[in-house]
């Protein structure tokens, strides 16, 4: 009989775990309670937090460089089909705050300035609250990377909104409209005129280029110059595109998908029993916990005094709880060496106003708390990956790499 693996959580870590466990020939079920951090990211795909990369490069006087990724990570990314990951250089993406920043990889729709040295980039004006083409162009013109690479920016009056209500619809809805060929051709015709007028050789637009997948390549072909999106904060259609790519990948590899919440994991002889909130329970050989962190809903902040009786809490424990009951250990702070994890805080929880913030190289508690793991292993028969693991960077590529490992070892 095939080894039965259940992956709990369908963010980047869970999908990567399902992919690698299926590759080993396991029977894989993925259970998910809904959207997590992976559906909220803007499409930049980092291995280490980019601010850290910029800080260390500056301190060493070096240009930030792409670190090589494993063959497995490239294979997973190719099968997912949502990201561009070059090994020879970093991507540089524009934020709507008017800055250029490095990224190890990117959603296909984000415009990559790493390959646009000397370009004159047009930003179409649009009456949308989240898109101020003039302010973004002014900020980007002043960016050190842009100046060093002679990239210039110009805002231009090019009609990119077709109907009045498009001034107000969510970015995701506008992105969805560009999934259709006719609407993409309409946009391309306007951009062709604009590019000619502005003598531009690239176009930066808001996060509007496709919901089911990136339309940036098709649009660039129609317009004749690279056209891509800027990076937004929360709620970019890059999250929708990840979810669409995830659906295609899970169907292609034959993983079973259950939309439900796991409430408990227990040992049942040599197997593990999973209790679902709505469905029948599952008996399996291995489990991957890919529950996400505080944003994804895998962890929540619950200091012991929240449950205190008259005066004192009943005991000392890490001030976080998992979204399910499982035989694993949670830790609050983790230094550079995970084996030095502090397992508890005071009776009244940590001084969260202080501990929550990063200090020097130490990440804040909210970005460090999670399941204590030895490699991917959290307990007998249970591996963990992604933001739910204590002391690991909270980035997309970390989640994918850890997911691949956890799926291999489950
Ligand atoms: C706004 C934002 C911007 C970001 N920007 C960047 C960036 O620029 N670059 C970068 O590299 N990274 C970025 N990240 C971080 C990156 O997106 C995450 O590190 C990564 O997506 C985490 O993936 P994950 O699979 O661990 O967790 P998640 O994507 O959170 O997935 C966890 C899943 O587990 C499910 N779940 C939880 N509990 C249960 C349960 N009991 N039963 C069933 N299912 C459950 C949740 O519903 C969720 O779907 C950003 C994140 C956010 C939120």
């Amino acid at each position: 009989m095939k080894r039965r693996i259940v992956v709990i959580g369908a963010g980047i870590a869970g999908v990567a775990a399902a992919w690698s466990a299926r590759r080993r020939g396991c029977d894989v079920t993925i259970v998910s309670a809904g959207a997590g951090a992976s559906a909220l990211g803007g499409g930049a795909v980092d291995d280490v937090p980019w601010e850290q990369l910029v800080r260390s490069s500056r301190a060493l006087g070096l240009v930030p460089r792409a670190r090589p990724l494993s063959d497995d990570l490239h294979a997973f990314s190719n099968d997912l089909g949502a990201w561009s990951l070059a090994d020879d250089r970093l991507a540089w993406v524009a934020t709507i705050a008017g800055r250029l920043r490095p990224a190890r990889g990117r959603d296909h729709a984000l415009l990559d300035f790493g390959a646009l040295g000397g370009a004159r980039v047009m930003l179409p004006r649009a009456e949308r609250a989240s898109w101020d083409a003039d302010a973004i162009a002014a900020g980007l013109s002043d960016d050190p990377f842009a100046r060093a690479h002679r990239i210039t920016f110009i805002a231009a009056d090019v009609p990119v909104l077709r109907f009045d209500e498009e001034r107000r619809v969510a970015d995701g809805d506008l992105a969805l409209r560009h999934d259709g060929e006719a609407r993409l051709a309409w946009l391309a015709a306007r951009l062709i005129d604009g590019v000619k007028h502005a003598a531009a050789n690239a176009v930066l637009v808001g996060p509007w280029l496709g919901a089911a997948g990136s339309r940036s390549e098709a649009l660039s072909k129609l317009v004749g110059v690279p056209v891509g999106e800027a990076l937004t904060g929360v709620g970019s259609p890059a999250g929708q595109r990840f979810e669409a790519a995830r659906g295609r990948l899970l169907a292609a590899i034959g993983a079973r998908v259950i939309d439900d919440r796991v409430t408990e994991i227990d040992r049942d002889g040599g197997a593990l029993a999973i209790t679902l909130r709505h469905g029948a329970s599952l008996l399996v050989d291995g489990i991957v916990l890919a529950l996400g962190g505080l944003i994804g809903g895998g962890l929540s902040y619950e200091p012991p005094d929240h449950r205190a009786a008259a005066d004192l809490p009943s005991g000392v424990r890490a001030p976080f709880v998992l979204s399910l009951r499982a035989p694993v250990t949670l830790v609050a702070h983790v230094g550079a060496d995970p084996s030095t994890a502090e397992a508890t805080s005071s009776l009244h929880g940590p001084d969260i106003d202080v501990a929550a913030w990063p200090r020097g190289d130490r990440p804040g508690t909210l970005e460090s708390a999670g399941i204590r793991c030895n490699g991917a292993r959290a307990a007998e028969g249970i591996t963990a990956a992604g933001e739910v693991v204590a002391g690991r960077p909270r980035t997309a590529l970390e989640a994918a790499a850890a997911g691949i490992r956890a799926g291999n070892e489950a």
Side-chain angles (χ1 to χ4, degrees), residues 286-332:
I287 292 176
V288 180
L289 295 175
L291 308 171
L294 286 153
I295 293 176
L299 274 182
S300 42
Y301 176 59
E302 193 188 290
D305 54 328
H306 275 192
R307 296 224 174 149
D311 1 304
L312 281 177
S314 55
V316 179
R317 59 164 177 76
F320 295 92
V321 289
L322 279 183
S323 61
L324 48 76
R325 275 197 346 99
V328 295
T329 307
L330 281 186
V331 291

Side-chain angles (χ1 to χ4, degrees), residues 2-18:
K2 283 184 181 171
R3 189 169 164 77
R4 298 159 303 173
I5 303 294
V6 165
V7 178
I8 308 174
I12 295 168
V15 180

Side-chain angles (χ1 to χ4, degrees), residues 45-46 53 66 84-86 88-94 100-107 110-115 145:
V45 179
D46 298 299
L53 178 71
S84 305
L85 294 177
D88 53 342
R89 63 171 182 83
L90 291 169
W92 284 79
V93 294
L100 290 169
R101 66 99 145 166
R104 183 63 190 78
R106 63 187 167 95
D107 172 292
L110 296 189
L111 191 59
D112 178 9
F113 289 86
F145 182 88

Side-chain angles (χ1 to χ4, degrees), residues 8-15 31-48 50 101 231-235 242 246 260-263 290-293 295-299 322-324 385-388 393-400:
I8 308 174
I12 295 168
V15 180
V31 184
S32 178
S38 306
L40 291 172
V45 179
D46 298 299
D47 47 357
V48 293
W50 70 273
R101 66 99 145 166
L231 180 69
T232 56
V234 183
F242 163 74
R246 172 185 70 190
D260 205 337
R261 178 167 287 277
V262 175
T263 54
L291 308 171
I295 293 176
L299 274 182
L322 279 183
S323 61
L324 48 76
E387 294 208 346
V388 78
R394 277 24 180 171
T395 62
L397 286 176
E398 166 66 25

Side-chain angles (χ1 to χ4, degrees), residues 7-330:
V7 178
I8 308 174
I12 295 168
V15 180
W19 174 86
S20 68
R22 275 298 291 147
R23 217 170 45 154
R24 283 170 54 214
C26 300
D27 177 81
V28 174
T29 300
I30 184 161
V31 184
S32 178
S38 306
L40 291 172
V45 179
D46 298 299
D47 47 357
V48 293
W50 70 273
E51 301 91 333
Q52 199 176 306
L53 178 71
V54 168
R55 234 187 356 253
S56 52
S57 311
R58 213 174 273 155
L60 295 169
L62 299 171
V63 177
R65 273 176 194 280
R67 290 195 291 190
L69 303 172
S70 71
D71 291 345
D72 278 355
L73 207 43
H74 279 294
F76 167 69
S77 168
N78 283 340
D79 286 358
L80 182 65
W83 302 334
S84 305
L85 294 177
D87 248 354
D88 53 342
R89 63 171 182 83
L90 291 169
W92 284 79
V93 294
T95 71
I96 55 163
R99 279 285 162 264
L100 290 169
R101 66 99 145 166
R104 183 63 190 78
R106 63 187 167 95
D107 172 292
H108 290 310
L110 296 189
L111 191 59
D112 178 9
F113 289 86
L116 288 179
R120 179 173 161 87
V121 184
M122 179 184 84
L123 288 78
R125 294 192 178 99
E127 257 189 81
R128 288 179 54 79
S130 54
W131 182 251
D132 183 338
D134 290 273
I136 299 169
L140 291 173
S141 301
D142 216 22
D143 183 90
F145 182 88
R147 277 193 272 127
H149 293 83
R150 294 170 292 100
I151 306 172
T152 53
F153 298 86
I154 173 175
D157 284 320
V158 178
V160 288
L161 304 182
R162 192 166 186 185
F163 305 106
D164 283 353
E165 37 113 19
E166 289 179 359
R167 286 181 286 169
R168 291 177 300 274
V169 298
D171 285 335
D173 287 330
L174 194 50
L176 181 70
R177 294 178 186 200
H178 293 115
D179 281 346
E181 298 302 331
R183 176 57 190 261
L184 201 71
W186 179 90
L187 178 61
R190 268 90 208 144
L191 293 180
I192 288 169
D193 280 351
V195 160
K196 212 156 107 197
H197 230 88
N201 36 28
V203 181
L204 181 68
V205 296
W208 313 322
L209 299 184
S214 164
R215 303 296 276 146
S216 157
E217 302 85 338
L219 186 59
S220 303
K221 218 178 238 170
L222 291 171
V223 178
V225 300
V227 184
E229 293 181 350
L231 180 69
T232 56
V234 183
S236 153
Q240 285 165 272
R241 294 191 288 260
F242 163 74
E243 291 193 330
R246 172 185 70 190
R248 292 188 289 266
L249 178 60
L250 293 176
I253 63 175
R256 192 153 63 106
V257 180
I258 299 178
D259 293 326
D260 205 337
R261 178 167 287 277
V262 175
T263 54
E264 199 162 341
I265 297 171
D266 287 306
R267 298 201 180 278
D268 186 338
L272 292 154
I274 292 177
T275 307
L276 298 173
R277 177 167 287 169
H278 301 293
S281 51
L282 308 166
L283 209 58
V284 299
D285 305 306
I287 292 176
V288 180
L289 295 175
L291 308 171
L294 286 153
I295 293 176
L299 274 182
S300 42
Y301 176 59
E302 193 188 290
D305 54 328
H306 275 192
R307 296 224 174 149
D311 1 304
L312 281 177
S314 55
V316 179
R317 59 164 177 76
F320 295 92
V321 289
L322 279 183
S323 61
L324 48 76
R325 275 197 346 99
V328 295
T329 307
L330 281 186

